[in-house]
Amino acid sequence: MTRSVFFVSDSTAMTSKGLGRSLLSQFNVTLSEHLRPYINTEERVDILLNDIHKTHIEDGDAPIVFASMMDEKLMNKLSQGFAGVIDIFRPFMPTLERLMDKKSSKEVGQAHKVGNQHLYQKRVAAIEYTLATDDGLKTTDYDQADIILLGVSRTGKTPTALYLALNFGLKVANYPFTSEDLPEFTLIKAHLENRHKLVGLIISPERLLSIRRERRALGSYADPKAIAAELAALNSLFARESIPFIDTTTRSVEEIAASIMAISPT
Amino acid sequence: MTRSVFFVSDSTAMTSKGLGRSLLSQFNVTLSEHLRPYINTEERVDILLNDIHKTHIEDGDAPIVFASMMDEKLMNKLSQGFAGVIDIFRPFMPTLERLMDKKSSKEVGQAHKVGNQHLYQKRVAAIEYTLATDDGLKTTDYDQADIILLGVSRTGKTPTALYLALNFGLKVANYPFTSEDLPEFTLIKAHLENRHKLVGLIISPERLLSIRRERRALGSYADPKAIAAELAALNSLFARESIPFIDTTTRSVEEIAASIMAISPT
């Protein structure tokens, strides 16, 4: 069963999307997603309502709409034009105003202003560092790292490092152990000098084989025996050196990143 | 005024963080943020409650807690242990169950399973493409791009491209116009052949000067006259060739990315 869902906001709509997806994940239904950011005029609400109605007719089922517009007039227009609108903002405001002991400002597009300028610079610097130290480059710069990811090829090191840099402004180096380092993997001097920053990534042999086969089917790169040897050496290294590690087998990039944040000292 | 806030969940806590930040942005208060993912056992709730109480004593003010745990026992334990807990999940469930005409599954950690495996591969491919075509590299591969960003140095092309690749699995190339291309910027063949994928990034001269000064203070790179010439040539190019563009001056990476999604054909 597929259900259409609209994520709507006067800003990026990423909050609507995040919460909407989390909630809908509880209903075991395939989603057809429509992102509608910057719905900040009556004209745009009209166009959106038109889209929603068209989708309703095509689907048969009514779309679900998650919306967060600060302007009450726009929110009311949307809610009165279509029954399936869930306002993800207003239900919390009375509680929050009580806890904060003040009224909300009801201003549009405030969400990203929280520490914005500073975070922007920090993120850009973090992305530059992360790119410059991708895949074992510039190990001489490891003293500047917040986190150093260790793993074999195709365990999600680069996406995870970039996600942490983009979302948290962390400088994340990543270092690959390869079949050339076998029969044993050993830490290099730059690792030893930054030991508390090391986080390992492990993965099941089956999953790694499937990822590598999709990438390059031939040679030892996607050979089950070679993969087993690499993963055995990696597990042995993490155990021997007491390096904390995350299993990436069934996890998304967000989940791997959150797990790293949970065990990392930063 | 600084207020401590905890973002809590049995999964990554990114949804709690996204919604919590959006809501709190309406209160004009500086936040001291604590991310607490994977609170999925009673022991972890106890440790968290302890943290919250310590912070309460240090701050004087009670922290605000945004939480989304599927397990009702854990959520109740947290809510009863501390008064300032806002459950960001349950208020919506009755409405959503009515709209979906079925009960929710109440399973933990479902959020990222929505289209997970496929999205993972798509994202990794998108990141690889985006890195391979960063900063004007591999213009021969522009036929594979979803979006091609155009701009001068330090307008946020790389972070924006990576954000779109990571979050939406889009292949985003970026191409820099530099002072060497002056007095006029012109499109190259690869641009002309992929004209509908082009999106420009513009920025105010003041903001660009400040960003570049922080980066490298000397030479024409951070000279107001040189910057004015680059931006004039860029604006003229976008007007002449009818290229849609986004002003990045006061926008975060999320906002730039959402604006691009809103105008892009993909």
Side-chain angles (χ1 to χ4, degrees):
Chain A
M1 178 194 170
T2 298
R3 190 73 176 252
S4 290
V5 53
F6 286 76
F7 304 119
V8 179
S9 135
D10 50 28
S11 181
T12 66
M14 293 305 280
T15 302
S16 296
K17 185 177 165 187
L19 183 62
R21 276 188 163 187
S22 288
L23 289 163
L24 290 170
S25 67
Q26 296 300 316
F27 289 93
N28 191 30
V29 48
T30 310
L31 303 179
S32 167
E33 301 185 353
H34 304 257
L35 194 67
R36 291 290 184 277
Y38 300 113
I39 304 297
N40 47 19
T41 63
E42 297 209 23
E43 291 69 37
R44 291 188 184 177
V45 174
D46 284 331
I47 294 166
L48 173 64
L49 280 170
N50 206 27
D51 273 9
I52 294 170
H53 289 138
K54 264 201 338 224
T55 308
H56 191 160
I57 291 162
E58 280 165 20
D59 288 2
D61 284 320
I64 312 274
V65 180
F66 291 93
S68 71
M69 266 104 71
M70 281 318 299
D71 185 325
E72 290 195 26
K73 223 168 85 185
L74 296 184
M75 196 66 217
N76 287 340
K77 192 176 170 75
L78 181 61
S79 305
Q80 281 157 21
F82 183 74
V85 176
I86 294 176
D87 183 339
I88 65 161
F89 237 67
R90 267 163 205 77
F92 300 109
M93 277 303 175
T95 313
L96 213 44
E97 290 184 341
R98 184 173 51 74
L99 290 173
M100 300 292 279
D101 199 21
K102 65 198 279 193
K103 289 274 166 201
S104 76
S105 66
K106 304 216 163 71
E107 279 177 55
V108 172
Q110 292 294 306
H112 297 293
K113 289 199 185 139
V114 184
N116 206 357
Q117 296 294 61
H118 171 69
L119 184 64
Y120 183 83
Q121 299 291 2
K122 199 182 161 198
R123 277 169 149 191
V124 171
I127 291 162
E128 283 177 358
Y129 179 88
T130 299
L131 291 176
T133 56
D134 185 40
D135 207 30
L137 293 171
K138 289 237 181 194
T139 56
T140 46
D141 289 354
Y142 277 10
D143 52 323
Q144 294 159 49
D146 294 307
I147 295 166
I148 301 162
L149 299 180
L150 306 178
V152 299
S153 176
R154 311 306 287 178
T155 47
K157 295 188 299 300
T158 299
T160 303
L162 286 170
Y163 186 90
L164 287 164
L166 264 168
N167 285 288
F168 300 103
L170 294 171
K171 294 181 173 173
V172 186
N174 80 77
Y175 184 93
F177 290 100
T178 69
S179 54
E180 287 132 51
D181 305 320
L182 289 173
E184 196 175 79
F185 295 155
T186 46
L187 297 180
I188 64 171
K189 189 158 160 281
H191 295 145
L192 295 170
E193 288 169 356
N194 296 277
R195 186 179 267 284
H196 62 290
K197 302 174 183 173
L198 303 178
V199 176
L201 298 184
I202 63 164
I203 190 169
S204 79
E206 297 75 26
R207 173 89 179 120
L208 185 56
L209 181 63
S210 126
I211 295 173
R212 285 195 180 174
R213 276 214 173 124
E214 204 159 302
R215 165 90 167 180
R216 197 190 321 143
L218 297 174
S220 72
Y221 187 75
D223 171 66
K225 268 189 200 154
I227 282 177
E230 284 181 42
L231 293 179
L234 193 70
N235 281 306
S236 152
L237 172 74
F238 294 159
R240 196 168 67 239
E241 301 282 357
S242 304
I243 295 167
F245 56 85
I246 310 287
D247 188 337
T248 69
T249 306
T250 59
R251 284 186 166 137
S252 68
V253 174
E254 288 86 348
E255 289 170 321
I256 300 167
S259 302
I260 290 169
M261 297 284 286
I263 64 168
S264 155
T266 44
Chain B
M1 179 194 169
T2 298
R3 191 73 176 250
S4 291
V5 53
F6 285 76
F7 303 120
V8 179
S9 136
D10 51 27
S11 181
T12 66
M14 293 305 279
T15 302
S16 295
K17 186 177 165 187
L19 183 62
R21 277 188 161 187
S22 289
L23 289 163
L24 290 171
S25 68
Q26 296 299 317
F27 288 93
N28 190 30
V29 48
T30 309
L31 303 179
S32 166
E33 301 186 351
H34 304 257
L35 194 69
R36 292 289 184 278
Y38 300 114
I39 304 297
N40 48 19
T41 63
E42 297 210 22
E43 290 70 36
R44 290 187 184 177
V45 174
D46 284 330
I47 294 166
L48 172 65
L49 279 170
N50 205 28
D51 273 10
I52 293 171
H53 287 138
K54 263 201 339 224
T55 308
H56 190 161
I57 291 162
E58 281 165 21
D59 289 0
D61 284 321
I64 313 274
V65 180
F66 291 93
S68 71
M69 267 105 71
M70 282 318 299
D71 185 326
E72 290 195 25
K73 225 168 82 187
L74 295 184
M75 196 65 217
N76 288 340
K77 192 178 170 78
L78 181 61
S79 305
Q80 282 156 18
F82 182 74
V85 176
I86 294 177
D87 183 339
I88 66 161
F89 238 67
R90 266 163 207 78
F92 301 110
M93 278 303 175
T95 313
L96 213 45
E97 290 183 342
R98 184 174 50 77
L99 290 173
M100 301 290 280
D101 200 21
K102 64 197 281 194
K103 289 274 167 203
S104 76
S105 67
K106 302 216 163 71
E107 277 177 58
V108 173
Q110 292 293 305
H112 298 292
K113 289 198 186 140
V114 184
N116 204 357
Q117 296 294 62
H118 171 67
L119 183 64
Y120 183 83
Q121 299 291 1
K122 199 181 161 200
R123 277 171 150 191
V124 171
I127 291 162
E128 283 176 358
Y129 179 87
T130 298
L131 291 176
T133 56
D134 185 40
D135 207 30
L137 294 170
K138 289 235 180 195
T139 56
T140 46
D141 288 354
Y142 277 11
D143 53 321
Q144 295 160 50
D146 295 307
I147 295 166
I148 301 163
L149 299 180
L150 305 179
V152 298
S153 176
R154 311 306 287 179
T155 46
K157 296 189 298 299
T158 299
T160 304
L162 286 169
Y163 186 90
L164 287 164
L166 263 168
N167 285 287
F168 300 104
L170 294 172
K171 294 180 173 173
V172 186
N174 81 78
Y175 184 92
F177 290 101
T178 68
S179 54
E180 287 135 51
D181 306 321
L182 288 174
E184 197 175 78
F185 295 156
T186 46
L187 297 180
I188 64 171
K189 188 158 163 280
H191 295 146
L192 295 169
E193 288 169 356
N194 295 278
R195 187 179 267 283
H196 64 289
K197 302 173 183 173
L198 303 178
V199 176
L201 298 185
I202 63 164
I203 189 168
S204 79
E206 296 75 26
R207 174 90 178 118
L208 186 56
L209 182 63
S210 127
I211 294 173
R212 286 196 182 173
R213 276 216 172 122
E214 204 159 303
R215 165 91 166 178
R216 198 191 319 145
L218 296 175
S220 72
Y221 186 75
D223 171 66
K225 269 190 200 154
I227 283 177
E230 285 181 43
L231 292 179
L234 194 69
N235 281 307
S236 152
L237 171 75
F238 293 159
R240 197 168 67 239
E241 300 283 357
S242 304
I243 295 166
F245 56 84
I246 311 289
D247 188 337
T248 69
T249 307
T250 58
R251 283 184 166 140
S252 67
V253 174
E254 288 86 348
E255 289 170 321
I256 300 167
S259 302
I260 290 169
M261 297 285 287
I263 63 167
S264 154
T266 45

